[in-house]
Amino acid sequence: DIKKQEVVTDHPDLSWDAVHPRCRLHDYTWSVKIDDSKDKSVLDMVKALRDFHCKECSKQLPNLRSLNDHLFREHKLQYCNLCLEHKAVFLSEQILFTKSELQQHMSMDRTCLKDPPGQFRGHPACEFCSTNFYDNDALFDHMHKSHESCHVCQRHGYEFVYYQNMSRLERHFRDNHYYCDHAECTMSALERVFSTDLDLKYHQMQFHSKGGSKKDRGKLDLELGFNYGSRTEEE
């Protein structure tokens, strides 16, 4: 079997057979083989990508936390934490911002001049939590897991409308749909809301009528369009 082997070289024009013998150095952190160039430039490049050094003054720091503290204290600069966590680039490629630039970078309404033009429009925020997320997919995942949506509205094409919590959703049910307010209804809020008045009446007849009169049952059957026929006709 052919095993996949990743190599780092400064000769991308060479074939695999030509470059593979040159890669005699091994980087155990990234599990890659490195071109053993005479001046060790490729090895130095790999180490630099991983180092925590200040781009402003070239000071070497032991870890990311120390680098962040140094940048903010000495240069009044900071990284975007969302980009650090999710953006697939090396640390040396991350953008440094002033406080005002970072606010512009986070906003969907303002543009930061340091961001690539046309490629980034800010980190979307949850209006309920006042929390930003890396992109729309991350925001959608948060809304789906942490907030509520109306299944009645969804059936009518309103898919991405959310409510802060179940209390707000129940208020929406009462104001916009047909909600069972029967004192003895034991169903959850999601089960006691209906699209139409007839659906609500049918629910009330099934669970709350306590064997209501035949007259009321017949009236509801007519409204629902049911036709049971007579036993004589069935026979």
Side-chain angles (χ1 to χ4, degrees):
D1 295 341
I2 299 177
K3 293 184 178 180
K4 182 180 178 181
Q5 178 65 64
E6 295 178 335
V7 300
V8 181
T9 180
D10 56 354
H11 290 81
D13 54 316
L14 296 179
S15 67
W16 172 256
D17 292 335
V19 75
H20 188 258
R22 296 168 53 94
C23 297
R24 292 184 291 270
L25 300 175
H26 190 84
D27 184 87
Y28 291 95
T29 303
W30 287 349
S31 298
V32 296
K33 287 196 171 184
I34 301 172
D35 192 333
D36 187 13
S37 55
K38 291 182 179 180
D39 60 358
K40 299 293 188 293
S41 60
V42 179
L43 178 61
D44 292 339
M45 178 193 69
V46 171
K47 289 182 176 180
L49 289 172
R50 200 164 51 231
D51 283 346
F52 301 102
H53 69 277
C54 174
K55 292 194 288 187
E56 297 297 307
C57 65
S58 300
K59 182 176 181 178
Q60 186 71 30
L61 284 304
N63 51 51
L64 181 59
R65 181 175 180 177
S66 298
L67 176 59
N68 282 331
D69 290 343
H70 166 81
L71 284 166
F72 188 75
R73 183 177 62 253
E74 300 297 332
H75 307 293
K76 299 297 183 287
L77 295 172
Q78 52 192 316
Y79 291 111
C80 169
N81 288 329
L82 287 173
C83 288
L84 282 178
E85 184 177 356
H86 299 284
K87 192 174 182 180
V89 298
F90 295 112
L91 180 61
S92 60
E93 299 174 294
Q94 293 280 2
I95 300 173
L96 284 170
F97 303 96
T98 63
K99 183 178 180 180
S100 61
E101 288 171 343
L102 183 58
Q103 291 174 346
Q104 294 170 353
H105 168 79
M106 299 291 286
S107 173
M108 299 284 287
D109 302 320
R110 293 181 289 173
T111 301
C112 177
L113 296 178
K114 285 188 176 180
D115 288 320
Q119 299 180 24
F120 182 80
R121 293 186 55 196
H123 295 300
C126 172
E127 295 182 5
F128 300 132
C129 304
S130 298
T131 301
N132 290 83
F133 295 86
Y134 182 67
D135 55 19
N136 287 329
D137 289 340
L139 175 61
F140 176 79
D141 185 61
H142 163 79
M143 300 299 290
H144 181 70
K145 292 178 179 178
S146 303
H147 301 293
E148 307 294 338
S149 59
C150 174
H151 60 282
V152 179
C153 288
Q154 286 178 340
R155 289 200 295 266
H156 293 85
Y158 299 96
E159 297 185 38
F160 303 109
V161 179
Y162 293 92
Y163 300 86
Q164 185 173 8
N165 48 44
M166 185 56 69
S167 176
R168 296 291 180 87
L169 179 59
E170 188 173 349
R171 185 186 305 171
H172 164 78
F173 287 159
R174 295 176 185 275
D175 293 344
N176 297 276
H177 302 300
Y178 297 90
Y179 190 75
C180 179
D181 280 318
H182 196 282
E184 297 180 5
C185 190
T186 59
M187 291 187 173
S188 70
L190 296 175
E191 296 174 308
R192 57 201 290 183
V193 61
F194 303 92
S195 299
T196 68
D197 183 42
L198 290 181
D199 289 334
L200 173 60
K201 287 179 178 178
Y202 188 66
H203 160 82
Q204 292 172 334
M205 181 193 71
Q206 281 187 306
F207 298 100
H208 309 307
S209 65
K210 294 183 179 180
S213 68
K214 291 184 178 180
K215 180 179 180 182
D216 291 338
R217 172 61 185 265
K219 181 181 178 182
L220 183 58
D221 289 344
L222 288 175
E223 290 180 347
L224 293 173
F226 290 170
N227 184 1
Y228 292 98
S230 64
R231 282 191 150 184
T232 304
E233 290 172 345
E234 290 175 357
E235 294 172 356

